[in-house]
Amino acid sequence: MEELEIRGLRPGEEGQMDALLEREGLQRDGWLDYSAGAFDGGELVAAGSCAGNTLRCLAVDSRRRGEGILSRLVRHLIEVQYQRGNYHLFLYTKGAAAPQFEDLGFHEIARDGQRAVFLENRKTGFSDYLQSLRKETPAAPAAPQGAIVMNANPFTLGHQYLAEKAAEACGTLHLFVVSEDLSVFPAADRMELVKAGTAHLSNVVYHRTDSYLISRATFPSYFLKDGDQAALAQARLDGAVFARIAGALGITLRFLGTEPTSHVTALYNQALAEVLPPAGVECRVLPRRELAEGPISASVVRQALKDGDWALAKRLVPPSTAAYLHSEKGQRVVTRLREMEQVNHH
């Protein structure tokens, strides 16, 4: 094994990684920020990547399995993550590969059978997260307890309507705001917007998702080429994680909003409606609030901001979000949105 060279990929070597992934039934994830390989005499025999605090796109040439190559490659990636200051790491893999990563110090959080497994490198990571959620929850929460998970990029009248309807239907509403900072509106700002837009609701408890509740933007679909299957596997994993959270907090209702124009969201809602009831969590899908222009959507708000259509944007968001958009912080986000639009057009 000493002849193997483990190092970061150099310019022009991505093609070799793509070919290896293709041979092993995988495909490259779009969010990668570092990729490495194991080279034997110039031939790429294994590859793996990082994206934020996750390890992804791990593949070993089927002819070279059982030689310990994956372990060496993963240790290299972990070292890179530690150098970046990322010490709490997450990993998604197929069920058959999970034992190898458990041998490397990863611990299973949830799984969708053999299709997908979600692991982390902290033995008490998830239990510590559950404990933090309990601390944020009133000592004697009113029943029934319900939950919403939202990205709120940004918080719209649609999000507000969903929160209001859910709050009416339960004694305590747990509102989880996606923590991954991959949305154009920063996570801290999105949490502020959610709190401001729901301040009139007295029975809401706010939580961060940290890296546990999976957002579609960050879910690694690289090992599921079929888009529908990727969405369903993600939803089932999300459901398995959420079921553990619900059990810890006593949540018995999960509220979902419709997304008439999104096939992926329809699949997501469908899968959660299948996964959660057996775990004692009822799924309620609430119709999206509509205006004359159609369903209220954060994507429509972002497009209006890119287009400079402030009148439309203001019709779709509560006063608290409108005030934020005109603030210095909000203006920086709007500027970034427009710069991204210009880049996409060139």
Side-chain angles (χ1 to χ4, degrees):
M1 294 301 295
E2 289 303 314
E3 75 279 4
L4 277 184
E5 181 186 15
I6 311 278
R7 60 167 173 80
L9 295 190
R10 295 168 183 159
E13 291 179 336
E14 291 86 354
Q16 288 187 63
M17 178 175 73
D18 290 344
L20 173 61
L21 293 174
E22 178 75 25
R23 288 198 303 274
E24 300 308 321
L26 312 176
Q27 61 185 2
R28 195 202 309 194
D29 189 283
W31 295 98
L32 306 182
D33 49 42
Y34 176 80
S35 295
F39 291 85
D40 185 355
E43 180 190 3
L44 183 70
V45 296
S49 301
C50 302
N53 63 346
T54 66
L55 306 186
R56 309 187 180 197
C57 298
L58 293 150
V60 179
D61 189 312
S62 56
R63 298 166 296 180
R64 301 295 297 269
R65 289 180 188 160
E67 298 180 21
I69 299 174
L70 181 66
S71 298
R72 291 182 59 185
L73 181 62
V74 169
R75 288 191 185 98
H76 170 80
L77 294 173
I78 290 172
E79 186 178 323
V80 168
Q81 290 282 27
Y82 285 177
Q83 288 170 356
R84 294 171 161 189
N86 292 332
Y87 299 104
H88 191 184
L89 306 179
F90 296 84
L91 171 71
Y92 301 81
T93 188
K94 290 183 177 180
Q100 298 176 68
F101 296 109
E102 289 169 348
D103 290 343
L104 292 169
F106 283 84
H107 306 274
E108 183 175 318
I109 300 166
R111 67 164 54 223
D112 170 30
Q114 289 299 303
R115 186 181 295 278
V117 183
F118 182 34
L119 308 100
E120 66 180 331
N121 69 338
R122 285 187 185 170
K123 190 172 184 178
T124 63
F126 189 59
S127 58
D128 289 346
Y129 174 66
L130 293 179
Q131 186 58 33
S132 74
L133 297 181
R134 292 189 193 99
K135 288 179 180 176
E136 292 166 346
T137 303
Q145 293 188 74
I148 302 174
V149 180
M150 63 173 62
N151 196 29
N153 185 40
F155 187 80
T156 68
L157 288 171
H159 294 114
Q160 188 179 65
Y161 178 78
L162 179 62
E164 288 170 347
K165 291 298 180 185
E168 284 176 16
C170 55
T172 303
L173 177 64
H174 296 264
L175 211 165
F176 293 83
V177 181
V178 173
S179 305
E180 282 92 354
D181 238 335
L182 288 170
S183 300
V184 67
F185 288 83
D189 292 9
R190 287 186 284 107
M191 179 63 87
E192 284 179 23
L193 291 176
V194 170
K195 287 182 174 179
T198 57
H200 59 296
L201 303 175
S202 61
N203 61 337
V204 178
V205 180
Y206 304 94
H207 305 292
R208 290 166 46 85
T209 59
D210 287 353
S211 295
Y212 293 107
L213 286 176
I214 309 159
S215 74
R216 286 192 307 278
T218 60
F219 184 77
S221 57
Y222 58 85
F223 56 82
L224 296 165
K225 288 190 176 183
D226 183 287
D228 284 6
Q229 288 306 311
L232 287 167
Q234 178 214 345
R236 287 191 290 259
L237 267 180
D238 186 57
V241 175
F242 185 80
R244 292 190 63 188
I245 292 171
L249 297 179
I251 293 169
T252 57
L253 290 168
R254 171 78 181 263
F255 297 93
L256 306 168
T258 57
E259 183 77 65
T261 59
S262 172
H263 175 63
V264 170
T265 301
L267 286 172
Y268 192 88
N269 288 354
Q270 169 199 324
L272 286 186
E274 294 169 1
V275 170
L276 293 181
V281 181
E282 177 191 345
C283 282
R284 290 190 189 174
V285 180
L286 302 178
R288 178 173 289 269
R289 184 179 174 188
E290 298 195 23
L291 296 180
E293 295 86 354
I296 299 172
S297 166
S299 61
V300 175
V301 174
R302 293 195 302 274
Q303 189 59 52
L305 294 172
K306 291 175 190 175
D307 296 340
D309 190 344
W310 283 96
L312 175 58
K314 286 180 74 171
R315 283 202 300 278
L316 302 179
V317 300
S320 50
T321 299
Y324 164 86
L325 291 172
H326 285 290
S327 71
E328 188 177 332
K329 280 198 297 186
Q331 285 295 298
R332 284 199 296 269
V333 174
V334 173
T335 299
R336 191 159 66 248
L337 262 173
R338 291 176 180 166
E339 288 171 349
M340 289 164 60
E341 181 80 346
Q342 289 170 359
V343 168
N344 290 337
H345 278 132
H346 286 85

